[in-house]
Amino acid sequence: MYDFKKQLLHKYNSGKINRRQFVSTLAAAGISASAVNGILTNNAHASSPQKGGRKGGRLVIGIEAAQAQHSMDPTKYNGTANIMMGYTVYDTLVNRDAELKAMPWLATSWEANNDATKWVFNLRKGVTFHDGSPFGAEDVMHTIARINHPDSEAPAKSYISQITEVEKLSNHQIQFHLVGPNAEFPMIMSDTRMQIVKRGMEDFTGRPPGTGPFKIEKFAPGSHYVFRRNDNYWSADGPYVDEVEYIGIGDVTSRINAMISGDINMMLQLDQKAKHLIDNSGIGYVINAPSGALINLALMLDRSPTDNYDFCMAMKHSIDREGIVKNIFKGLGSVGNDHPIAPIDPYYNADIAQRVYDPDKARYHIKKAGLENTPIDIHGSDIAGSGALAAALHVQQSAKAGGVNLNVINSPADRFWSSVWIQKPIVTSGWDPRPIPDLIFSIAFSKTSKWNETMWNNDRFENLLLEVRSTLDSAKRKEMYGEMQQLLHDYGGHITLGFRNYVDAARTEVQGVTPHGSGPLGFYQAARTAWIDS
């Protein structure tokens, strides 16, 4: 059977038979529809898009919501879908390969001086923006200056502020001067908000040009997002489809039904509980990537009742983490330990005792807080991450045994980031993984960050965050990152509900999307790599 399937795949990949002939032949051989979908999926992941990609067609991606706050300004992205739209139009200097290592993109190479306080980046030649302007050093300089501007509220500012100067050595060579040594600086430049914008660009309404695989056709925040293929794109790895459209469908079940019916042919954030629906549908496949993506509760430490240490500890002991992974993630994830570093991360501190579900300890602390059986609101939404609302409801049930009385409020997806997050004392939240702890610590926990959702303010943590960047010894860096994890575990307002795999889905006609541990739908770049097998 192996040789038969191998020969049939060869005919299919070489164009001698079409997809319908391939599927019907396997079905006649007694192979189930779900198995056929698996073969097609693995084939798509193993095949080179440059060889197998077919140009043409339309890709319609169902996202978690169309929000009025969506922007094409990379300093103002406010969620997963917005980041995906950014990758549709812009490029970063550094990308990440399948092993989550730094990969040349708009920068072709880089080199540090002896103490890693200066980094020279060589920029790709022959790249143009959508309006025909050539890409070069001044575009990078402008991008960094916008992030570091005194009035900027860019989330990336918390870690890009280490850049004191961007020196133009030539039109296609720049040198970054850092406030101190940073051995991992290239990985910082691969962050999702480090997309390069055109020099002088400040108005991002209308159709701002990027160097990316698609041009903006229509961008109406909260309504409609359409992008047309950039036929002058510099990379051979896509794009293939003529047009990409993002459609906001806040309800996960409705998003699944839209894909099954063919209204969309790819969807962001498949509910883990619904994986079997796609597996058994015969029309699509699941894109599953283990990752450090997490969902969490954010307890704001600057307001009542979450400014009470004992209340926070009662909450931490009320979480049945194993139950959340089993029942909410359906096994597609791993337990957390109240800091954002996943067990798969090489900097993970395995010496921190795993916090477990303990209703007796929860009751002890809730009594000390004077809040036993007092109703406390949690504001939840799946826009924070697939399964976030269900996980909040799971916590509501497990907390009862310890006298913690929680009321879960299902917040509207289209207003969650603007009206709930960093405003209500307890909310569900979620974070995509960062390639190094510095980035997630800087953006989500530094007292200087606008996205410090728990209002965490710890002097020792801040000092370590600065010191670790100048530490060239990797073992010492791991020790310092480990201490930061311990501080958050012991005193922080961050409660990790679980690390979830990236679980998305596509119809079988969509090929070329490879699971990636750094982000959903191929590290947000499925629009570039996907092609339609009609």
Side-chain angles (χ1 to χ4, degrees), residues 33-296:
S34 60
V36 172
N37 285 335
I39 293 169
L40 283 169
T41 301
N42 292 332
N43 178 61
H45 295 166
S47 299
S48 168
Q50 292 95 316
K51 296 178 181 179
R54 296 172 171 84
K55 287 198 173 183
R58 194 165 187 269
L59 185 65
V60 184
I61 304 175
I63 59 176
E64 71 270 39
Q67 298 193 61
Q69 291 76 31
H70 281 156
S71 171
M72 288 311 299
D73 181 349
T75 69
K76 297 180 179 178
Y77 294 162
N78 72 336
T80 302
N82 206 168
I83 292 171
M84 286 188 64
M85 296 175 202
Y87 274 105
T88 307
V89 174
Y90 305 113
D91 289 311
T92 52
L93 292 180
V94 181
N95 210 334
R96 298 179 208 161
D97 64 19
E99 297 179 352
L100 312 187
K101 296 178 181 178
M103 179 173 70
W105 209 242
L106 284 183
T108 57
S109 62
W110 43 82
E111 186 176 0
N113 65 352
N114 290 336
D115 65 357
T117 58
K118 297 179 182 179
W119 286 84
V120 172
F121 276 54
N122 296 304
L123 306 180
R124 191 173 299 278
K125 298 178 180 179
V127 177
T128 59
F129 285 87
H130 299 153
D131 63 358
S133 303
F135 159 73
E138 292 182 12
D139 304 301
V140 179
M141 296 168 71
H142 176 65
T143 298
I144 301 300
R146 291 189 74 246
I147 295 171
N148 275 341
H149 191 278
D151 297 332
S152 168
E153 296 185 357
K157 188 176 182 178
S158 57
Y159 46 86
I160 292 303
S161 59
Q162 67 185 282
I163 300 173
T164 59
E165 180 186 358
V166 184
E167 180 184 359
K168 178 180 178 181
L169 303 180
S170 71
N171 284 339
H172 291 92
Q173 189 178 65
I174 56 174
Q175 182 168 247
F176 292 101
H177 297 249
L178 309 183
V179 69
N182 193 328
E184 297 175 307
F185 181 71
M187 286 303 290
I188 288 176
M189 301 308 290
S190 75
D191 188 68
T192 55
R193 289 169 175 80
M194 291 309 303
Q195 296 166 1
I196 303 301
V197 301
K198 181 183 171 183
R199 71 199 78 177
M201 180 65 66
E202 294 293 346
D203 182 4
F204 289 84
T205 59
R207 300 179 182 179
T211 61
F214 291 85
K215 304 176 182 180
I216 298 173
E217 181 75 13
K218 184 173 183 179
F219 189 85
S223 175
H224 201 201
Y225 315 97
V226 181
F227 305 84
R228 294 287 297 175
R229 185 175 67 223
N230 173 18
D231 288 323
N232 295 318
Y233 190 56
W234 57 269
S235 174
D237 185 13
Y240 301 101
V241 299
D242 295 330
E243 189 172 87
V244 176
E245 180 177 5
Y246 294 92
I247 296 179
I249 308 174
D251 179 71
V252 177
T253 302
S254 297
R255 207 147 67 235
I256 294 170
N257 290 335
M259 198 181 86
I260 292 175
S261 67
D263 292 335
I264 62 175
N265 48 19
M266 184 182 291
M267 65 170 287
L268 178 69
Q269 295 186 347
L270 173 68
D271 189 326
Q272 294 90 339
K273 298 189 299 295
K275 178 179 180 293
H276 71 284
L277 296 177
I278 302 300
D279 287 338
N280 298 329
S281 69
I283 60 88
Y285 58 93
V286 173
I287 304 167
N288 179 26
S291 80
L294 62 90
I295 60 172
N296 65 285

Side-chain angles (χ1 to χ4, degrees), residues 8-22 40 43-44 47-59 214 229 236-243 508-512 526-534:
L8 201 64
L9 274 172
H10 177 72
K11 290 182 179 180
Y12 173 64
N13 289 329
S14 62
K16 293 180 180 179
I17 61 174
N18 60 27
R19 177 176 164 275
R20 180 174 294 179
Q21 291 170 317
F22 176 80
L40 283 169
N43 178 61
S47 299
S48 168
Q50 292 95 316
K51 296 178 181 179
R54 296 172 171 84
K55 287 198 173 183
R58 194 165 187 269
L59 185 65
F214 291 85
R229 185 175 67 223
D237 185 13
Y240 301 101
V241 299
D242 295 330
E243 189 172 87
T508 53
E509 69 264 22
V510 178
Q511 303 292 304
R528 172 175 56 82
T529 65
W531 49 277
I532 305 297
D533 179 9
S534 57

Side-chain angles (χ1 to χ4, degrees), residues 271-273 320-336 390-391 394 497-500:
D271 189 326
Q272 294 90 339
K273 298 189 299 295
D320 179 6
R321 293 166 175 79
E322 295 282 355
I324 288 174
V325 171
K326 178 181 178 180
N327 298 308
I328 307 303
F329 294 171
K330 298 303 179 183
L332 301 173
S334 58
V335 298
H394 194 281
L497 299 178
F499 293 96
R500 59 182 178 85

Side-chain angles (χ1 to χ4, degrees), residues 442 445-450 452 456-459 461-462:
S442 295
F445 299 97
S446 173
K447 64 182 181 182
T448 64
S449 174
K450 299 292 184 181
N452 180 358
W456 169 250
N457 187 349
N458 182 284
D459 290 340
F461 185 92
E462 294 294 328

Side-chain angles (χ1 to χ4, degrees), residues 328-442:
I328 307 303
F329 294 171
K330 298 303 179 183
L332 301 173
S334 58
V335 298
N337 204 17
D338 298 340
H339 59 74
I341 309 305
I344 63 172
D345 193 298
Y347 287 111
Y348 177 73
N349 185 352
D351 293 331
I352 301 175
Q354 176 63 53
R355 185 167 278 134
V356 297
Y357 177 48
D358 193 330
D360 291 336
K361 286 185 178 179
R363 188 175 296 277
Y364 169 79
H365 285 288
I366 201 70
K367 282 183 175 181
K368 282 192 69 176
L371 293 169
E372 186 177 17
N373 294 318
T374 300
I376 303 292
D377 290 341
I378 291 180
H379 295 261
S381 173
D382 273 345
I383 197 170
S386 180
L389 182 60
L393 293 169
H394 194 281
V395 173
Q396 179 187 43
Q397 294 303 313
S398 64
K400 291 178 179 179
V404 181
N405 183 5
L406 301 174
N407 174 45
V408 176
I409 298 172
N410 185 359
S411 302
D414 58 353
R415 297 196 300 274
F416 182 81
W417 298 119
S418 61
S419 302
V420 178
W421 187 60
I422 316 188
Q423 295 187 48
K424 303 297 183 181
I426 310 176
V427 302
T428 57
S429 186
W431 293 90
D432 290 329
R434 266 57 179 185
I436 52 175
D438 182 359
L439 296 189
I440 188 64
F441 286 155
S442 295

